[in-house]
Amino acid sequence: MSILSRLALVASVSVLLSSTAMAADLTVGFSQIGSESGWRAAETSVTKMEAEKRGIQLKFADAQQKQENQIKAIRGFIAQGVDAILVAPVVATGWEAVLGEAKDAKIPVILLDRGVDAPQDLYLTSVASDQVEEGRVAGRWLVDAVKDKDCKVVELQGTVGSTPAINRKKGFEEAIGGKANISIVRSQTGDFTRAKGKEVMEGFIKAENGGKDICAVYAHNDDMAVGAIQAIKDAGLKPGSDLLVVSIDGVPDIFSAMAAGEANATVELTPNMAGPAFDALEAYLKDGKAPEKFIITESKLYTPADNPQGEYETRKGLGY
Ligand code: AHR
């Protein structure tokens, strides 16, 4: 072997060694919102599994739904000198200062599943769905389902000030816009939780002739839809037929409700945001090339025609 080929071999082996050692040497901080929904629990489990699979040391901080806890956690990660930070931002505003501190410390930040109102140079990339499109997919489904029938919709919004609540509302309104027969008659936050979804739905039912005037429930996530389904049943009505139920996430419980004829449609949100995030981070650390600013996950509609019992079985062990 010539000296040149020997050198080339040594160089390629050392690149290989440094890139395999790289993932194993990484320490990543993850500021998670909390555990408000089944989807959130699954995202946490998948992130921990993805980190373990790649030999990444994950420092996990649960913010219990509070932005101030997330900011504290991020400052803690910076002080510890982690290699990167993942953050699922509970609300859109109020991030500039802390993201600026991470930037000054040269620690790349990746946003998971929600966006922020902050300059794009403060984060490396954002891995999330197109939340406006999710709202549109749900709205288009309803337009198709009701055809020309008059339809009063009640809306359960997500956490006030969060990007999925803002964008899913926007997309749904866009999709039903121009349809004179469909209107949102009540809209309130259920904070993405099952308990709040049920409570708010009980109020809607009382206010709307015992629920008889409501044609459909649009919930910004499945957990609130599952709470609403319980409220509808408690009021002596049939969810899925007396009142249509459409929501977002694709958690096992909504598929089980669908299999029982009590839910009509859901738009899937993958809980695997960490896989694409770690891929982007590892590639960036390896060759310094910045990834796409927005990595968009798919938004697929599921209805009772899509074997809901099978979907339930496939997902039930995935940490939801
Ligand atoms: O940001 C994603 C949303 O947050 C999910 O749709 C919801 O379930 C979660 O709480």
Coordinates of all heavy atoms in Angstrom, one line a residue, residues 52-135:
E52 N -31.0 7.0 24.3 CA -30.4 5.8 24.8 C -29.8 5.0 23.6 O -28.6 4.5 23.6 CB -31.4 4.9 25.6 CG -30.7 4.0 26.6 CD -31.7 3.1 27.3 OE1 -32.8 3.6 27.6 OE2 -31.3 1.9 27.5
K53 N -30.6 4.8 22.6 CA -30.2 4.1 21.4 C -28.9 4.6 20.8 O -28.1 3.9 20.3 CB -31.4 4.2 20.4 CG -31.3 3.3 19.2 CD -32.7 3.4 18.5 CE -32.6 4.4 17.4 NZ -33.9 4.7 16.7
R54 N -28.8 6.0 20.8 CA -27.6 6.6 20.2 C -26.5 6.8 21.2 O -25.5 7.4 20.8 CB -28.0 8.0 19.7 CG -29.1 7.9 18.5 CD -29.7 9.2 18.4 NE -30.9 9.1 17.5 CZ -30.9 9.5 16.2 NH1 -29.9 10.1 15.7 NH2 -32.0 9.4 15.5
G55 N -26.6 6.4 22.4 CA -25.6 6.6 23.4 C -25.5 8.1 23.9 O -24.4 8.5 24.3
I56 N -26.5 8.8 23.7 CA -26.5 10.3 24.1 C -26.9 10.3 25.6 O -27.9 9.7 26.0 CB -27.5 11.1 23.2 CG1 -27.0 11.2 21.8 CG2 -27.7 12.5 23.8 CD1 -27.9 11.8 20.8
Q57 N -26.2 11.1 26.4 CA -26.7 11.3 27.8 C -27.7 12.4 27.8 O -27.4 13.5 27.4 CB -25.5 11.6 28.6 CG -25.7 11.3 30.1 CD -24.9 12.2 31.0 OE1 -23.8 12.5 30.7 NE2 -25.4 12.5 32.2
L58 N -28.9 12.0 28.2 CA -30.0 13.0 28.2 C -30.3 13.5 29.6 O -30.5 12.7 30.5 CB -31.3 12.4 27.6 CG -32.4 13.3 27.3 CD1 -32.1 14.1 26.0 CD2 -33.7 12.6 27.1
K59 N -30.2 14.8 29.8 CA -30.6 15.4 31.1 C -32.0 15.9 30.9 O -32.3 16.8 30.1 CB -29.7 16.6 31.4 CG -28.3 16.1 31.8 CD -27.4 17.3 32.1 CE -26.0 16.8 32.5 NZ -25.9 16.3 33.8
F60 N -33.0 15.4 31.7 CA -34.4 15.7 31.5 C -34.9 16.6 32.5 O -34.7 16.3 33.7 CB -35.1 14.3 31.5 CG -36.6 14.5 31.3 CD1 -37.1 14.7 30.0 CD2 -37.5 14.4 32.3 CE1 -38.5 14.9 29.8 CE2 -38.8 14.5 32.2 CZ -39.4 14.8 30.9
A61 N -35.6 17.6 32.1 CA -36.3 18.5 33.1 C -37.7 18.7 32.8 O -38.1 19.1 31.7 CB -35.6 19.8 33.1
D62 N -38.6 18.4 33.7 CA -40.1 18.5 33.5 C -40.5 19.8 34.1 O -40.3 20.1 35.3 CB -40.7 17.3 34.3 CG -42.3 17.4 34.2 OD1 -42.8 18.5 34.0 OD2 -42.9 16.4 34.4
A63 N -41.0 20.7 33.2 CA -41.3 22.1 33.7 C -42.7 22.2 34.3 O -43.1 23.3 34.7 CB -41.2 23.0 32.5
Q64 N -43.5 21.1 34.4 CA -44.8 21.2 35.0 C -45.6 22.4 34.5 O -46.2 23.1 35.2 CB -44.7 21.2 36.5 CG -43.8 20.1 37.0 CD -43.9 19.7 38.4 OE1 -44.4 20.5 39.2 NE2 -43.6 18.4 38.7
Q65 N -45.6 22.5 33.2 CA -46.4 23.5 32.4 C -46.0 24.9 32.6 O -46.7 25.8 32.2 CB -48.0 23.3 32.7 CG -48.5 22.0 32.9 CD -48.3 21.1 31.6 OE1 -47.9 20.0 31.7 NE2 -48.6 21.6 30.5
K66 N -44.9 25.2 33.3 CA -44.6 26.6 33.5 C -43.3 27.0 32.7 O -42.3 26.4 32.8 CB -44.2 26.7 35.0 CG -45.4 26.5 35.9 CD -45.2 27.2 37.3 CE -46.4 27.2 38.2 NZ -46.6 25.9 38.8
Q67 N -43.5 28.1 32.0 CA -42.4 28.7 31.2 C -41.2 29.0 32.1 O -40.1 28.8 31.7 CB -42.9 29.9 30.4 CG -41.8 30.4 29.5 CD -42.2 31.7 28.7 OE1 -43.0 32.5 29.2 NE2 -41.7 31.8 27.5
E68 N -41.5 29.6 33.3 CA -40.4 30.0 34.2 C -39.5 28.8 34.5 O -38.3 28.9 34.6 CB -40.9 30.7 35.4 CG -41.6 29.8 36.4 CD -42.8 30.5 37.1 OE1 -43.8 31.0 36.4 OE2 -42.8 30.6 38.3
N69 N -40.2 27.6 34.7 CA -39.4 26.4 35.0 C -38.5 26.0 33.8 O -37.4 25.5 33.9 CB -40.3 25.3 35.4 CG -40.9 25.5 36.7 OD1 -40.5 26.3 37.5 ND2 -42.0 24.7 37.0
Q70 N -39.1 26.2 32.6 CA -38.3 25.9 31.4 C -37.1 26.8 31.3 O -36.0 26.4 31.0 CB -39.2 26.0 30.1 CG -40.3 25.0 30.1 CD -40.8 24.7 28.7 OE1 -41.5 25.5 28.1 NE2 -40.3 23.6 28.1
I71 N -37.3 28.1 31.6 CA -36.2 29.0 31.4 C -35.1 28.7 32.5 O -33.9 28.7 32.1 CB -36.7 30.5 31.6 CG1 -37.6 30.8 30.4 CG2 -35.6 31.5 31.8 CD1 -38.3 32.2 30.4
K72 N -35.5 28.3 33.7 CA -34.6 27.9 34.7 C -33.8 26.7 34.3 O -32.6 26.6 34.4 CB -35.3 27.6 36.0 CG -35.0 28.5 37.2 CD -35.6 28.0 38.5 CE -36.7 28.9 38.9 NZ -37.7 28.4 39.8
A73 N -34.5 25.7 33.7 CA -33.8 24.5 33.3 C -32.8 24.8 32.2 O -31.7 24.3 32.2 CB -34.9 23.5 32.8
I74 N -33.2 25.6 31.2 CA -32.3 26.0 30.1 C -31.0 26.7 30.7 O -29.9 26.3 30.3 CB -33.0 26.8 29.1 CG1 -34.1 26.0 28.4 CG2 -32.0 27.3 28.0 CD1 -35.0 26.8 27.5
R75 N -31.2 27.6 31.7 CA -30.1 28.3 32.3 C -29.2 27.2 33.0 O -28.0 27.3 32.9 CB -30.5 29.3 33.2 CG -31.2 30.5 32.5 CD -31.1 31.8 33.2 NE -31.4 32.9 32.3 CZ -32.5 33.7 32.4 NH1 -33.3 33.6 33.4 NH2 -32.7 34.6 31.4
G76 N -29.8 26.2 33.6 CA -29.1 25.2 34.3 C -28.2 24.4 33.3 O -27.1 24.1 33.5
F77 N -28.9 24.1 32.1 CA -28.1 23.3 31.1 C -26.9 24.1 30.6 O -25.9 23.5 30.4 CB -29.0 22.9 29.9 CG -30.2 22.0 30.3 CD1 -31.4 22.1 29.6 CD2 -30.0 21.0 31.2 CE1 -32.5 21.3 29.9 CE2 -31.1 20.1 31.5 CZ -32.3 20.3 30.9
I78 N -27.1 25.4 30.4 CA -26.0 26.2 30.0 C -24.9 26.2 31.0 O -23.7 26.0 30.6 CB -26.5 27.7 29.7 CG1 -27.6 27.7 28.6 CG2 -25.3 28.6 29.3 CD1 -28.3 29.1 28.4
A79 N -25.3 26.4 32.2 CA -24.2 26.4 33.3 C -23.5 25.1 33.3 O -22.3 25.0 33.6 CB -24.9 26.6 34.6
Q80 N -24.2 24.0 33.0 CA -23.5 22.6 33.1 C -22.7 22.4 31.8 O -22.0 21.4 31.7 CB -24.5 21.5 33.2 CG -25.2 21.5 34.5 CD -26.5 20.6 34.4 OE1 -26.5 19.5 34.0 NE2 -27.6 21.2 34.8
G81 N -22.8 23.3 30.8 CA -22.0 23.1 29.6 C -22.5 21.9 28.7 O -21.6 21.3 28.1
V82 N -23.8 21.7 28.6 CA -24.2 20.6 27.8 C -23.8 20.9 26.3 O -23.5 22.0 25.9 CB -25.8 20.4 27.8 CG1 -26.2 20.0 29.2 CG2 -26.5 21.7 27.4
D83 N -23.9 19.8 25.5 CA -23.5 20.0 24.1 C -24.7 20.6 23.2 O -24.4 21.2 22.2 CB -23.1 18.6 23.5 CG -21.9 18.1 24.2 OD1 -20.9 18.7 24.1 OD2 -22.0 17.0 24.8
A84 N -25.9 20.4 23.7 CA -27.0 20.9 22.9 C -28.3 20.9 23.9 O -28.3 20.2 24.9 CB -27.3 20.1 21.7
I85 N -29.3 21.7 23.5 CA -30.5 21.7 24.3 C -31.7 21.5 23.4 O -31.8 22.1 22.3 CB -30.6 23.1 25.0 CG1 -29.5 23.3 26.0 CG2 -32.0 23.3 25.7 CD1 -29.4 24.7 26.5
L86 N -32.6 20.6 23.9 CA -33.9 20.4 23.2 C -34.9 21.1 24.1 O -34.9 21.0 25.3 CB -34.3 19.0 23.2 CG -33.4 17.9 22.5 CD1 -34.0 16.6 22.5 CD2 -33.1 18.3 21.0
V87 N -35.8 21.9 23.5 CA -36.9 22.5 24.3 C -38.2 22.4 23.5 O -38.3 22.7 22.4 CB -36.5 23.9 24.7 CG1 -36.2 24.8 23.5 CG2 -37.6 24.6 25.5
A88 N -39.2 22.0 24.3 CA -40.6 22.0 23.8 C -41.2 23.2 24.4 O -41.6 23.2 25.6 CB -41.3 20.7 24.1
P89 N -41.3 24.4 23.7 CA -41.7 25.6 24.4 C -43.2 25.7 24.7 O -44.1 25.6 23.8 CB -41.4 26.7 23.4 CG -40.9 26.0 22.2 CD -41.1 24.6 22.3
V90 N -43.6 25.8 26.0 CA -45.0 25.8 26.4 C -45.8 26.9 25.7 O -46.9 26.6 25.3 CB -45.1 25.8 27.9 CG1 -44.6 27.0 28.6 CG2 -46.6 25.6 28.3
V91 N -45.3 28.1 25.6 CA -45.9 29.2 24.9 C -45.0 29.8 23.9 O -43.8 29.4 23.9 CB -46.4 30.3 25.9 CG1 -47.6 29.8 26.7 CG2 -45.3 30.8 26.7
A92 N -45.5 30.6 23.0 CA -44.7 31.1 21.9 C -43.8 32.3 22.3 O -42.6 32.4 21.8 CB -45.6 31.6 20.7
T93 N -44.2 33.1 23.2 CA -43.4 34.3 23.5 C -42.5 34.2 24.7 O -42.7 33.3 25.5 CB -44.4 35.5 23.7 OG1 -45.3 35.2 24.8 CG2 -45.1 35.9 22.5
G94 N -41.6 35.1 24.8 CA -40.8 35.2 26.1 C -39.5 34.4 26.1 O -38.9 34.1 27.1
W95 N -39.0 34.0 24.9 CA -37.8 33.2 24.8 C -36.5 33.9 24.4 O -35.4 33.3 24.6 CB -38.1 32.0 23.8 CG -39.2 31.2 24.3 CD1 -40.5 31.2 23.8 CD2 -39.2 30.2 25.3 NE1 -41.2 30.3 24.5 CE2 -40.5 29.6 25.4 CE3 -38.1 29.7 26.2 CZ2 -40.8 28.7 26.4 CZ3 -38.5 28.7 27.1 CH2 -39.8 28.2 27.2
E96 N -36.6 35.1 23.9 CA -35.4 35.7 23.3 C -34.2 35.8 24.2 O -33.1 35.4 23.8 CB -35.8 37.1 22.9 CG -36.1 37.1 21.4 CD -36.2 38.5 20.8 OE1 -35.2 39.3 20.8 OE2 -37.3 38.8 20.4
A97 N -34.4 36.2 25.5 CA -33.3 36.4 26.4 C -32.6 35.0 26.6 O -31.3 34.9 26.4 CB -33.8 36.9 27.7
V98 N -33.3 34.0 27.0 CA -32.6 32.7 27.4 C -32.0 32.0 26.1 O -30.9 31.5 26.2 CB -33.6 31.8 28.2 CG1 -34.6 31.2 27.3 CG2 -32.8 30.7 28.9
L99 N -32.7 32.2 25.0 CA -32.1 31.6 23.8 C -30.9 32.3 23.4 O -29.9 31.7 22.9 CB -33.2 31.5 22.6 CG -34.4 30.6 22.8 CD1 -35.2 30.6 21.6 CD2 -34.0 29.2 23.2
G100 N -30.9 33.6 23.6 CA -29.7 34.4 23.4 C -28.5 34.0 24.3 O -27.4 33.9 23.8
E101 N -28.8 33.6 25.5 CA -27.8 33.2 26.4 C -27.2 31.8 25.9 O -26.0 31.6 26.0 CB -28.3 33.0 27.8 CG -28.7 34.3 28.5 CD -29.6 34.1 29.7 OE1 -29.5 33.1 30.5 OE2 -30.4 35.0 29.9
A102 N -28.0 31.0 25.4 CA -27.5 29.7 24.9 C -26.7 30.0 23.6 O -25.6 29.3 23.5 CB -28.7 28.8 24.5
K103 N -27.1 30.9 22.8 CA -26.3 31.2 21.6 C -24.9 31.8 22.0 O -23.9 31.4 21.5 CB -27.1 32.2 20.8 CG -26.4 32.4 19.4 CD -27.2 33.4 18.5 CE -26.4 33.5 17.2 NZ -26.7 34.7 16.5
D104 N -24.9 32.7 23.0 CA -23.7 33.3 23.5 C -22.7 32.2 24.0 O -21.5 32.2 23.8 CB -23.9 34.3 24.6 CG -24.6 35.5 24.0 OD1 -24.6 35.7 22.8 OD2 -25.1 36.3 24.9
A105 N -23.3 31.1 24.6 CA -22.5 30.0 25.1 C -22.2 29.0 24.0 O -21.6 28.0 24.3 CB -23.3 29.3 26.3
K106 N -22.6 29.3 22.8 CA -22.4 28.4 21.6 C -23.0 27.0 21.8 O -22.4 26.0 21.4 CB -20.9 28.3 21.3 CG -20.2 29.6 21.1 CD -19.0 29.5 20.2 CE -18.3 30.8 19.8 NZ -18.9 32.0 20.3
I107 N -24.2 27.0 22.5 CA -24.9 25.7 22.6 C -26.1 25.7 21.7 O -27.0 26.6 21.8 CB -25.3 25.5 24.1 CG1 -24.1 25.6 25.0 CG2 -26.2 24.3 24.2 CD1 -24.5 25.5 26.5
P108 N -26.1 24.8 20.7 CA -27.2 24.8 19.8 C -28.5 24.4 20.5 O -28.5 23.5 21.3 CB -26.8 23.8 18.7 CG -25.7 23.0 19.3 CD -25.1 23.8 20.4
V109 N -29.6 25.1 20.1 CA -30.9 24.7 20.7 C -31.8 24.2 19.6 O -31.8 24.8 18.5 CB -31.5 26.0 21.3 CG1 -33.0 25.8 21.7 CG2 -30.7 26.5 22.5
I110 N -32.5 23.1 19.9 CA -33.5 22.6 18.9 C -34.9 22.7 19.5 O -35.1 22.2 20.6 CB -33.1 21.1 18.5 CG1 -31.8 21.1 17.9 CG2 -34.2 20.6 17.6 CD1 -31.3 19.8 17.3
L111 N -35.8 23.3 18.8 CA -37.2 23.3 19.3 C -37.9 22.1 18.9 O -37.8 21.6 17.8 CB -37.9 24.5 18.6 CG -37.3 25.9 18.7 CD1 -38.1 26.9 18.0 CD2 -37.1 26.3 20.2
L112 N -38.7 21.5 19.8 CA -39.4 20.3 19.5 C -40.9 20.6 19.6 O -41.4 21.2 20.6 CB -39.2 19.2 20.6 CG -37.8 18.5 20.6 CD1 -37.9 17.3 21.5 CD2 -37.3 18.2 19.2
D113 N -41.7 20.2 18.7 CA -43.1 20.2 18.5 C -43.9 21.5 18.6 O -45.1 21.6 18.3 CB -43.8 19.1 19.4 CG -43.9 19.4 20.9 OD1 -44.8 20.1 21.3 OD2 -43.1 18.9 21.6
R114 N -43.3 22.6 19.2 CA -43.9 23.9 19.2 C -42.9 25.0 18.8 O -41.7 24.8 19.0 CB -44.4 24.2 20.6 CG -45.5 23.3 21.1 CD -46.1 23.7 22.4 NE -47.1 22.7 22.8 CZ -47.8 22.8 23.9 NH1 -47.7 23.9 24.7 NH2 -48.7 21.8 24.3
G115 N -43.5 26.1 18.3 CA -42.6 27.1 17.9 C -42.5 28.3 18.9 O -43.1 28.2 19.9
V116 N -41.6 29.3 18.5 CA -41.5 30.4 19.4 C -41.5 31.7 18.5 O -41.2 31.6 17.3 CB -40.1 30.4 20.1 CG1 -40.0 29.3 21.1 CG2 -38.9 30.4 19.1
D117 N -41.9 32.8 19.1 CA -41.8 34.1 18.4 C -40.5 34.7 18.8 O -40.4 35.5 19.7 CB -42.9 35.0 19.0 CG -44.3 34.7 18.4 OD1 -44.4 34.0 17.4 OD2 -45.3 35.2 19.0
A118 N -39.5 34.3 18.1 CA -38.1 34.8 18.4 C -37.3 34.7 17.1 O -37.6 33.9 16.2 CB -37.5 34.0 19.5
P119 N -36.3 35.5 16.9 CA -35.5 35.5 15.7 C -34.9 34.0 15.5 O -34.5 33.3 16.4 CB -34.3 36.4 16.0 CG -34.8 37.3 17.0 CD -35.8 36.6 17.9
Q120 N -34.9 33.7 14.2 CA -34.6 32.3 13.8 C -33.1 31.9 14.1 O -32.8 30.8 14.2 CB -34.9 32.0 12.4 CG -36.4 32.0 12.1 CD -36.8 31.7 10.7 OE1 -35.9 31.4 9.9 NE2 -38.1 31.8 10.3
D121 N -32.3 32.9 14.2 CA -30.9 32.6 14.5 C -30.6 32.2 15.9 O -29.5 31.8 16.3 CB -29.9 33.8 14.1 CG -30.2 35.0 15.0 OD1 -31.4 35.2 15.3 OD2 -29.2 35.6 15.4
L122 N -31.7 32.2 16.7 CA -31.5 31.8 18.1 C -31.7 30.3 18.3 O -31.5 29.8 19.4 CB -32.5 32.6 19.0 CG -32.2 34.1 19.1 CD1 -33.2 34.8 20.1 CD2 -30.8 34.4 19.6
Y123 N -32.1 29.6 17.3 CA -32.2 28.2 17.4 C -31.6 27.5 16.1 O -31.7 28.1 15.0 CB -33.6 27.7 17.7 CG -34.7 28.2 16.9 CD1 -35.1 27.5 15.7 CD2 -35.3 29.4 17.2 CE1 -36.1 28.0 14.9 CE2 -36.3 29.9 16.4 CZ -36.7 29.2 15.2 OH -37.7 29.7 14.4
L124 N -31.1 26.3 16.3 CA -30.5 25.6 15.1 C -31.6 25.1 14.2 O -31.5 25.3 13.0 CB -29.7 24.4 15.7 CG -29.0 23.5 14.6 CD1 -27.9 24.3 14.0 CD2 -28.5 22.2 15.3
T125 N -32.6 24.5 14.7 CA -33.7 24.0 13.9 C -35.0 23.8 14.7 O -34.9 23.8 16.0 CB -33.4 22.7 13.1 OG1 -34.4 22.3 12.2 CG2 -33.1 21.6 14.0
S126 N -36.1 23.6 14.1 CA -37.3 23.3 14.8 C -37.9 22.1 14.2 O -38.1 22.0 13.0 CB -38.3 24.5 14.6 OG -39.6 24.1 14.8
V127 N -38.2 21.1 15.0 CA -38.8 19.8 14.5 C -40.3 19.9 15.0 O -40.5 19.8 16.2 CB -38.1 18.6 15.0 CG1 -38.8 17.3 14.4 CG2 -36.6 18.6 14.7
A128 N -41.2 20.0 14.1 CA -42.6 20.1 14.5 C -43.5 19.8 13.3 O -43.0 19.8 12.1 CB -42.9 21.5 15.0
S129 N -44.8 19.7 13.5 CA -45.7 19.5 12.4 C -46.1 20.9 11.9 O -45.8 21.9 12.5 CB -47.0 18.8 13.0 OG -47.5 19.6 14.1
D130 N -46.8 20.8 10.8 CA -47.4 22.1 10.3 C -48.7 22.2 11.0 O -49.7 21.6 10.6 CB -47.6 22.0 8.7 CG -48.2 23.2 8.1 OD1 -48.8 24.0 8.9 OD2 -48.1 23.4 6.9
Q131 N -48.8 23.0 12.0 CA -50.0 23.0 12.9 C -51.2 23.7 12.2 O -52.3 23.3 12.5 CB -49.6 23.6 14.2 CG -48.6 22.9 15.0 CD -47.9 23.7 16.0 OE1 -47.9 24.9 16.0 NE2 -47.1 23.0 16.9
V132 N -50.9 24.6 11.3 CA -52.0 25.2 10.6 C -52.7 24.1 9.7 O -53.9 24.0 9.6 CB -51.5 26.4 9.8 CG1 -52.7 27.0 9.0 CG2 -50.9 27.5 10.7
E133 N -51.8 23.3 9.1 CA -52.3 22.3 8.2 C -53.1 21.2 9.0 O -54.1 20.7 8.5 CB -51.1 21.6 7.5 CG -51.5 20.5 6.5 CD -52.4 20.9 5.4 OE1 -52.7 22.1 5.1 OE2 -52.9 20.0 4.7
E134 N -52.6 20.9 10.2 CA -53.4 20.0 11.1 C -54.8 20.5 11.2 O -55.8 19.8 11.1 CB -52.8 19.9 12.4 CG -51.5 19.1 12.4 CD -50.7 19.2 13.8 OE1 -50.9 20.1 14.5 OE2 -49.9 18.3 14.1
G135 N -55.0 21.8 11.5 CA -56.3 22.4 11.7 C -57.1 22.3 10.4 O -58.3 22.0 10.4

